[in-house]
Amino acid sequence: MMQHLMYLLGHFGYFGIIIALMGGIIGLPIPDEILLTYLGYLVYKGQLSYIVSLVSAVVGATAGISISYLLGIKLGLPFLRKYGPKIHLTEKGINKTKILFLKFGPFLLFIGYFIPGVRHVTAYLAGINGLSYKKFAVYAYSGALLWCFTFITIGTKLGKEWKKVGFYLSKYSLNVIVFVVVLSLIIAFVYWRKTKYNGKVM
């Protein structure tokens, strides 16, 4: 799969990032976190721009999750149960996410990107449950930004060791996810406070 993704990036550049992330969020069997980390590695090598890569990834992720949301509104749960398995959305995964969605509500749209097998279903369920677009956008799009930022940044920091992210995700999946999310939120908060403080000083 990574060979196909590398081909896509090599021939379509940043537009290839958008296509890959869009497909991955909708439910195609694309190793999204690995792809994002690889983008970070390419940034580390100087082959891609960090900002443009991040923007492209966020555009792809938000486009994919928006399509899923619209499909949930228009076609409902029967469509998801019938065609989900064809794009690797299993009945077990659908039921698991449905329970989580009922428990956590729209917040699952934000955090669901970091949970394998969940991010592909949350938007469908948001549409099926009639969540307003405004609320959907706030949670889903901010989650996409944090998710893309986290793994692309990890790739830039790991450099040549970027492939280790796959090992860490498989062995320490939940712990890594929680740690990364908390760390990212702390970094974002500190950056926001610093920017706000500097703005007042100036």
Side-chain angles (χ1 to χ4, degrees):
M1 177 57 71
M2 278 305 300
Q3 289 181 340
H4 295 296
L5 292 174
M6 290 177 184
Y7 175 85
L8 188 66
L9 294 177
H11 283 74
F12 296 98
Y14 295 109
F15 186 63
I17 297 174
I18 296 174
I19 295 173
L21 266 297
M22 188 187 303
I25 292 297
I26 291 173
L28 297 180
I30 294 174
D32 299 311
E33 287 91 354
I34 303 298
L35 171 60
L36 290 170
T37 309
Y38 177 65
L39 294 178
Y41 169 63
L42 294 180
V43 171
Y44 162 81
K45 290 180 66 178
Q47 295 182 12
L48 292 177
S49 161
Y50 178 84
I51 295 299
V52 181
S53 296
L54 178 60
V55 170
S56 300
V58 172
V59 168
T62 54
I65 205 164
S66 297
I67 292 171
S68 298
Y69 171 73
L70 291 173
L71 288 174
I73 291 176
K74 299 295 183 182
L75 303 175
L77 193 57
F79 169 83
L80 187 59
R81 292 189 184 281
K82 183 176 181 179
Y83 294 101
K86 295 182 180 181
I87 53 174
H88 300 273
L89 302 181
T90 64
E91 183 74 18
K92 182 179 179 181
I94 293 170
N95 291 333
K96 173 186 174 182
T97 307
K98 187 175 181 181
I99 293 170
L100 289 173
F101 192 85
L102 292 173
K103 186 175 182 180
F104 296 104
F107 181 69
L108 188 63
L109 285 165
F110 178 81
I111 199 68
Y113 288 94
F114 293 88
I115 308 174
V118 170
R119 63 173 166 270
H120 306 108
V121 186
T122 52
Y124 288 104
L125 293 177
I128 290 167
N129 285 282
L131 187 71
S132 70
Y133 176 75
K134 183 178 180 180
K135 185 172 285 188
F136 161 80
V138 168
Y139 286 93
Y141 297 169
S142 58
L145 176 60
L146 177 62
W147 179 60
C148 295
F149 165 79
T150 298
F151 283 97
I152 290 177
T153 303
I154 286 175
T156 64
K157 300 303 179 184
L158 288 178
K160 295 179 180 179
E161 304 296 320
W162 72 274
K163 290 184 179 179
K164 287 186 177 180
V165 74
F167 168 78
Y168 292 134
L169 282 173
S170 62
K171 189 172 183 179
Y172 305 106
S173 183
L174 185 58
N175 292 332
V176 171
I177 289 167
V178 172
F179 172 76
V180 167
V181 172
V182 172
L183 180 62
S184 298
L185 289 173
I186 291 173
I187 292 173
F189 176 73
V190 170
Y191 177 78
W192 173 77
R193 286 293 298 272
K194 184 179 179 181
T195 304
K196 184 178 179 183
Y197 176 77
N198 289 340
K200 287 182 177 180
V201 172
M202 294 175 66

